[in-house]
Amino acid sequence: MSEKRPARQPQSGHHNLDPHLPRYAARTAGMTASEIRALFAVASRPEVVSLAGGMPNLAALPLDSLSSQMAELIANDGLVALQYGSAHGVPALREQICEVMALEDISAHPDDVVVTVGSQMGLDMVTRLFCDPGDVVIAEGPSYVGALGSFAAYQAEVVHVAMDDQGLVPEGLREALGQCRKHGKRVKFLYTIPNFHNPAGVTLAVDRRAEILEICREHDVLVVEDNPYGLLGFDGQTYPALRSMDPDNVVYLGSFSKTFASGLRVGWVLAPHAVREKLVLAAESATLCPPTLNQLVVSRYLATHDWKGQIKTFGENYRERRDAILSALEQHMPPGCSWTHPDGGFYVWVTVPEGVDTKAMLPRAVTARVAYASGTGFYADGFGSRQMRLSYCYPTPERIKEGVRRLAAVLESEMDLMRTFGSVNPRVVSGPENPSPDTA
């Protein structure tokens, strides 16, 4: 009988709270928890006006009708709805997705659509397929925090390209690609949110779209188009998708989270045919298959409801909220502030005066019962300390106005302190954060 070995004692002076630390893969170093997540445990209280999370406002959904249909679905087709399905996705839903994308001039075959568990899964799979450690992804600055988290998890380097009120600046893209080539860096794709950008709220001008596609063609760079907000224009307008202009070099990410129900987690990837095959294999390894029940719920909704009218209703609700936040910003924010003027989507991007650090200010804002998403989380290089993202999609117009009033008072106090003592909050560089409902 072997002698029982004593438990290994930690070395003197070393107190490792995670005994598994030496076992983790190197890529986990890029997986960083949001530093503000703990604050939002407080921010979720009803007395706090949250202008932080990008949660859709689902109050306008026909819940009675949807609940009846879900009951019928289980009663009549439960043996299918509750069973495993294909990693490719339910065929009927893939056909309907093609009809949805046709509103943005996309001509697609259902076979080239892969259904995912939200578009975040699609983004993760695309990054996994294309990026080796050290590869470069070009992205707008700022960019979606969930995308930055995926790129970091796969150890890709992010190079940001500036935007203006017309979206991604083509000359900035050309310069960034040239610099990467000069320094021997391998650029795999451009990641872009062309419509009603998260977090910036701007839209890529139509006359820039062809130029950006041509620049990427010249440099042999794939384009990943993330478009969850494209049908939520406030004047009913839609823009031609990048995918519609260059089907062979654009991977398109779509989602029902913003136009139907985020909790169902149904998204999709439209990819060139050869890429589609690898996406299906990646989906099988990640989830085996997306939930059949959720796909069938979306499919029946599209087949039996006026989903275009529902999107129009959502857009009207969000336009009312957009108007409320722009009016409140104009009324309350101190001099030296500026902000974008979105014509769709969920977000306004605010720039505050020099010397104010929005990340450092956030705890004081939460104490004053208002929350926002600080700008540094939307950059891979720690920039954005003078910016914040305000989400107007969820609160009522009245709550939005009160939230902005509270935020302006906090900012005024911050500026008073700065005028008295100088800038007391040194800029701390931090990397991308993993997404959560608070920052998504």
Side-chain angles (χ1 to χ4, degrees):
M1 185 174 177
S2 61
E3 184 179 348
K4 186 176 180 181
R5 212 179 267 182
R8 186 173 62 179
Q9 298 299 317
Q11 295 180 8
S12 176
H14 292 274
H15 301 283
N16 186 2
L17 297 179
D18 183 357
H20 302 285
L21 190 63
R23 301 177 177 136
Y24 293 133
R27 62 180 171 272
T28 61
M31 300 170 67
T32 308
S34 170
E35 296 178 22
I36 62 173
R37 193 170 295 171
L39 283 171
F40 285 107
V42 179
S44 63
R45 295 176 180 174
E47 67 270 20
V48 177
V49 179
S50 178
L51 303 173
M55 294 186 298
N57 193 308
L58 304 181
L61 282 174
L63 296 181
D64 290 343
S65 175
L66 290 172
S67 62
S68 298
Q69 285 204 336
M70 290 189 71
E72 291 174 7
L73 177 62
I74 296 296
N76 299 331
D77 297 300
L79 295 181
V80 174
L82 301 177
Q83 187 56 275
Y84 286 126
S86 164
H88 202 164
V90 171
L93 178 59
R94 289 190 278 113
E95 292 179 6
Q96 292 166 310
I97 286 171
C98 290
E99 296 173 10
V100 173
M101 293 189 294
L103 297 178
E104 296 176 307
D105 299 338
I106 295 175
S107 176
H109 193 283
D111 286 351
D112 291 330
V113 174
V114 179
V115 179
T116 58
V117 184
S119 62
Q120 181 70 32
M121 175 185 169
L123 179 58
D124 185 88
M125 290 195 306
V126 168
T127 310
R128 176 150 56 108
L129 288 181
F130 285 100
C131 289
D132 290 315
D135 285 344
V136 171
V137 174
I138 303 289
E140 292 129 339
S143 190
Y144 167 50
V145 64
L148 299 181
S150 286
F151 304 152
Y154 291 104
Q155 298 172 285
E157 177 187 351
V158 175
V159 173
H160 286 298
V161 176
M163 290 187 292
D164 59 20
D165 288 340
Q166 302 297 308
L168 183 68
V169 178
E171 280 309 307
L173 174 61
R174 194 184 301 276
E175 180 180 353
L177 289 170
Q179 287 294 316
C180 287
R181 176 178 292 179
K182 178 180 176 182
H183 292 94
K185 295 182 177 181
R186 185 169 58 172
V187 179
K188 287 300 183 69
F189 57 80
L190 164 68
Y191 170 75
T192 179
I193 307 173
N195 302 318
F196 321 129
H197 187 273
N198 177 9
V202 301
T203 294
L204 180 62
V206 173
D207 60 1
R208 289 186 179 182
R209 298 186 180 218
E211 183 179 2
I212 285 170
L213 290 169
E214 181 58 32
I215 292 170
C216 289
R217 278 283 189 184
E218 290 172 6
H219 289 263
D220 193 27
V221 170
L222 182 72
V223 177
V224 177
E225 177 182 16
D226 195 358
N227 190 34
Y229 309 98
L231 298 181
L232 291 174
F234 296 146
D235 297 318
Q237 76 279 27
T238 56
Y239 297 93
L242 299 175
R243 166 76 190 203
S244 72
M245 305 168 74
D246 193 355
D248 294 331
N249 198 48
V250 177
V251 174
Y252 178 97
L253 305 177
S255 175
F256 290 105
S257 291
K258 308 301 189 291
T259 56
F260 179 29
S262 53
L264 290 173
R265 308 304 301 133
V266 177
W268 70 90
V269 183
L270 172 65
H273 195 76
V275 177
R276 188 284 314 272
E277 289 298 317
K278 287 184 169 53
L279 283 169
V280 172
L281 295 174
E284 287 175 342
S285 69
T287 63
L288 189 62
C289 61
T292 305
L293 173 62
N294 295 19
Q295 294 179 75
L296 292 178
V297 169
V298 175
S299 181
R300 289 205 176 192
Y301 168 77
L302 294 173
T304 60
H305 285 78
D306 178 15
W307 58 271
K308 294 180 185 177
Q310 185 65 58
I311 290 173
K312 181 180 178 181
T313 298
F314 281 142
E316 291 170 350
N317 288 344
Y318 296 139
R319 179 177 58 193
E320 181 183 17
R321 287 162 168 77
R322 185 278 314 266
D323 291 346
I325 200 166
L326 292 182
S327 174
L329 289 168
E330 188 68 38
Q331 180 180 356
H332 296 295
M333 293 297 270
C337 298
S338 61
W339 49 87
T340 56
H341 292 72
D343 59 352
F346 287 6
Y347 309 108
V348 170
W349 187 242
V350 178
T351 299
V352 300
E354 187 73 44
V356 176
D357 186 329
T358 61
K359 187 173 184 177
M361 186 178 76
L362 182 56
R364 294 184 279 280
V366 172
T367 300
R369 297 173 298 144
V370 62
Y372 58 84
S374 55
T376 52
F378 300 96
Y379 287 87
D381 48 18
F383 281 88
S385 60
R386 285 183 57 201
Q387 279 79 40
M388 65 178 82
R389 189 193 71 178
L390 303 184
S391 302
Y392 51 79
C393 44
Y394 191 76
T396 64
E398 292 72 23
R399 292 275 287 172
I400 288 170
K401 293 174 183 177
E402 174 60 20
V404 171
R405 187 193 66 78
R406 295 176 187 177
L407 178 59
V410 174
L411 185 54
E412 290 275 14
S413 297
E414 202 80 359
M415 293 170 65
D416 284 343
L417 285 173
M418 188 177 66
R419 284 189 286 266
T420 303
F421 299 105
S423 181
V424 295
N425 299 313
R427 182 171 164 267
V428 178
V429 175
S430 60
E433 301 169 342
N434 282 343
S436 73
D438 305 316
T439 54

